[in-house]
């Protein structure tokens, strides 16, 4: 299934894509797409509905973040060896964990704000993992059973804030609109191998990132199990699993960063496409 949320910010309704790619309204069956409907039983109940009989959503509504009520927005850094190389950093011996503020979450096609004082706002296409069942001290073998599904994430980053402003990375990762998620939450039954997904990101029509989850240093199952050793993962939590090479910071001979009016388009195989215009905050 491809679950989504549509409507104006703060007034989104739950929806599902039918076999023709049309949005059908799920409001009569669930209040929203959030952690309390993401366990296997709830998802099976949604799958059992006659999707074609649900109300058709007319027009071209705004698509909101594919999950609401996110408790934790966890991110894995330097998880592609070639990205670590372009960043001038060693591949870490264990996954690097940082957090984005949940207030950074926005819709997949919403404008992305360049923060005040920014000189180095950058892009990162990533595979997002949405937790469906609590995970605490789990093994790698059982990790994917705790995943509800997957989505596209743009881990927008301000490199000066991240690297040169002291402390952890969160300051460079958490500005409002720095976490576009969606357009859909694609349930895990439609993604039999999360380590075989191609991804790309263009800026103003130029391809900057082109990669595959096959080259992750630490795969999805390992990351979910690993994180569960340090904290419980709750339904609705999101994990952003790292980016392939091609970010603005790594361009040669000089870095290339976003400016107002730029347009990013990015996608992950089978998970949909995002498109954002940048504006000055």
């Amino acid at each position: 299934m491809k679950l989504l949320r549509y409507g104006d910010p703060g007034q989104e309704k739950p929806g599902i894509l039918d076999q023709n790619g049309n949005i059908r309204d799920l409001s009569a069956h669930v209040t929203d797409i959030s952690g309390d409907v993401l366990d296997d039983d709830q998802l099976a109940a949604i799958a059992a509905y006659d999707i074609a009989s649900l109300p058709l959503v007319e027009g071209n509504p705004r698509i909101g973040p594919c999950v609401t009520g996110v408790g934790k927005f966890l991110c894995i850094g330097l998880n592609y060896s070639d990205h670590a190389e372009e960043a001038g950093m060693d591949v870490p011996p264990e996954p690097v964990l940082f957090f984005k503020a949940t207030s950074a979450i926005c819709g997949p096609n919403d404008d992305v704000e360049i923060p005040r004082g920014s000189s180095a706002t950058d892009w990162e296409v990533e595979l997002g993992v949405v937790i469906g069942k609590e995970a605490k001290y789990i093994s790698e073998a059982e990790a994917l059973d705790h995943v509800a599904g997957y989505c596209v994430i743009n881990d927008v980053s301000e490199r000066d804030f991240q690297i040169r402003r002291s402390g952890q990375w969160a300051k460079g990762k958490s500005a409002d609109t720095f976490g576009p998620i969606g357009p859909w939450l694609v349930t895990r039954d439609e993604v039999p191998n999360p380590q075989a997904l191609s991804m790309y990101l263009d800026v103003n029509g130029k391809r900057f990132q082109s990669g595959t989850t096959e080259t992750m240093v630490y795969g999805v199952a390992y990351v979910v199990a690993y994180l569960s050793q340090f904290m419980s993962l709750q339904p609705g939590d999101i994990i952003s699993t790292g980016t392939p090479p091609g970010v603005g910071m790594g361009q040669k001979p000089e870095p290339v960063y976003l400016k107002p009016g730029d347009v990013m388009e990015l996608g992950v195989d089978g998970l949909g496409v995002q498109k954002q215009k940048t504006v000055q905050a």
Side-chain angles (χ1 to χ4, degrees), residues 109-133:
N109 305 313
D110 291 348
D111 290 346
V112 165
E113 296 181 0
I114 296 177
R116 297 177 185 178
S118 167
S119 60
T121 297
D122 204 347
W123 57 82
E124 294 188 15
V125 59
E126 306 204 0
L127 171 65
V129 178
V130 182
I131 299 299
K133 179 173 67 172

Side-chain angles (χ1 to χ4, degrees), residues 21-44:
N22 298 312
I23 300 174
R24 299 282 179 165
D25 181 35
L26 273 175
S27 297
H29 300 282
V30 299
T31 56
D32 214 332
I33 307 300
S34 55
D36 57 354
V37 301
L38 295 181
D39 64 73
D40 287 350
D41 290 342
Q42 294 279 3
L43 291 176

Side-chain angles (χ1 to χ4, degrees), residues 13 15 42 61-62 69 90 100 107 137 144 152 161 174 187-188 203 211 250 261 267 278:
K13 295 181 179 180
Q42 294 279 3
R62 168 188 175 268
D90 294 332
K100 291 177 85 83
Y137 299 122
L144 296 187
V152 182
F161 297 177
S174 294
T187 51
R188 74 172 187 271
V203 180
T278 56

Side-chain angles (χ1 to χ4, degrees), residues 84-157:
E85 181 180 355
E86 75 173 352
M89 300 179 183
D90 294 332
V91 173
E94 296 185 40
V96 170
L97 170 66
F98 63 92
F99 291 83
K100 291 177 85 83
T102 55
S103 54
I105 292 173
C106 66
N109 305 313
D110 291 348
D111 290 346
V112 165
E113 296 181 0
I114 296 177
R116 297 177 185 178
S118 167
S119 60
T121 297
D122 204 347
W123 57 82
E124 294 188 15
V125 59
E126 306 204 0
L127 171 65
V129 178
V130 182
I131 299 299
K133 179 173 67 172
E134 183 184 51
K136 184 175 182 178
Y137 299 122
I138 63 170
S139 69
E140 185 175 355
E142 60 188 328
L144 296 187
D145 293 338
H146 294 258
V147 171
Y150 303 91
C151 64
V152 182
I153 294 177
N154 190 353
D155 176 21
V156 187
S157 309

